[in-house]
Every structure is written in structure tokens, then in C-alpha cells.
């Protein structure tokens, strides 16, 4: 049974940094499409950063470009999201997701993908 466990969320002030981690276990196959999503209060889930096409392509939401960086340690089956220069509008529940393959980043945002339980990020002004 695949399990994704996020950690690293918390409360910070504007301009602060956080590093989210997503540890995966129970995977029988390589998941070459991985990413982070977030859902602000009262809003829909949105993609923050996705690595797809067997790691050859990475996309970021325009709102986080230059501030966030996605990375992974395949040996540890762990996905990371380094978040710098945080803003109040970054406040959301952050989720990691994995899928065996994505042709396009939007393919990851699917109920059939593996999802973590989420970690809360709160940025105060």
C-alpha cells in the first residue's frame, strides 16, 4: 500500500522560509511524475510545482516562480519543496502527489494519483 507522508509545514512570517518533505513508502513501481499542490481556504486545489516526463520537465505556478524549488531524493523516495520569500497568499494546505507517469502536468491532479494527507502552511503579515 502506497503511503505519502508530508512534513515541514508550520507558521512563519512574511519573507520566511519553509522546506516541505514528502516521504513515500510501499511503492512497487517507480513514480516518475511527482509534484506539490496547495489548497487555500475556500479555494480549489492548484498545482504548485510538478516534475513530469520522467523528470525531464518541471513546471511551477507563476505565483511561486523564483521563490519555490521542487527537488527529490530518489534514494530516499522523498520529494521536497523549498519555499522562500513566503507571502500571506501562500497560506494553504500543501499536498504531495505521485503518479507512475504524466504526459502533461495536469495528469497528476487526478484522484487516481497517490496523495499525502497534507501539511498546513500559514504565513502571517
Amino acid at each position: 500500500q502506497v503511503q505519502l507522508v508530508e512534513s515541514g509545514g508550520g507558521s512563519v512570517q512574511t519573507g520566511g522560509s519553509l522546506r516541505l518533505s514528502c516521504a513515500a513508502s510501499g511503492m512497487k513501481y517507480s513514480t516518475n511524475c511527482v509534484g506539490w499542490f496547495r489548497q487555500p481556504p475556500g479555494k480549489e486545489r492548484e498545482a504548485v510545482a510538478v516534475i513530469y516526463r520522467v523528470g525531464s520537465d518541471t513546471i511551477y505556478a507563476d505565483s511561486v516562480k523564483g521563490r519555490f524549488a521542487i527537488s527529490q531524493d530518489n534514494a530516499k523516495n522523498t520529494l521536497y519543496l523549498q519555499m522562500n520569500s513566503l507571502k500571506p497568499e501562500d497560506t494553504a494546505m500543501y499536498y504531495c502527489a505521485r503518479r507512475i507517469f504524466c504526459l502533461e502536468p495536469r495528469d497528476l491532479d487526478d484522484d487516481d494519483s497517490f496523495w499525502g494527507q497534507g501539511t498546513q502552511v500559514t504565513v502571517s503579515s
Side-chain angles (χ1 to χ4, degrees):
Q1 182 178 355
V2 175
Q3 187 174 19
L4 305 183
V5 179
E6 297 105 333
S7 61
S11 297
V12 296
Q13 293 187 329
T14 297
S17 297
L18 286 173
R19 188 193 194 202
L20 305 184
S21 299
C22 173
S25 61
M27 296 188 301
K28 295 183 178 179
Y29 305 99
S30 297
T31 47
N32 297 304
C33 181
V34 297
W36 290 94
F37 293 76
R38 67 186 181 185
Q39 186 166 18
K43 297 184 179 180
E44 293 188 353
R45 186 172 65 200
E46 61 179 358
V48 175
V50 176
I51 302 173
Y52 65 111
R53 292 184 184 170
V54 200
S56 62
D57 291 284
T58 304
I59 62 99
Y60 291 91
D62 288 342
S63 58
V64 306
K65 284 180 181 177
R67 300 187 299 121
F68 290 13
I70 187 173
S71 62
Q72 58 182 333
D73 185 333
N74 292 326
K76 296 181 179 180
N77 284 334
T78 301
L79 183 69
Y80 302 99
L81 184 68
Q82 178 67 44
M83 306 186 296
N84 299 324
S85 302
L86 283 161
K87 305 175 181 180
E89 50 264 43
D90 295 319
T91 294
M93 184 70 80
Y94 283 72
Y95 300 90
C96 64
R98 286 180 174 265
R99 193 175 182 89
I100 292 176
F101 180 78
C102 292
L103 189 60
E104 299 295 338
R106 63 175 179 269
D107 295 341
L108 186 58
D109 192 0
D110 187 277
D111 289 343
D112 289 339
S113 299
F114 300 116
W115 292 89
Q117 83 289 349
T119 185
Q120 178 68 38
V121 172
T122 302
V123 185
S124 59
S125 57

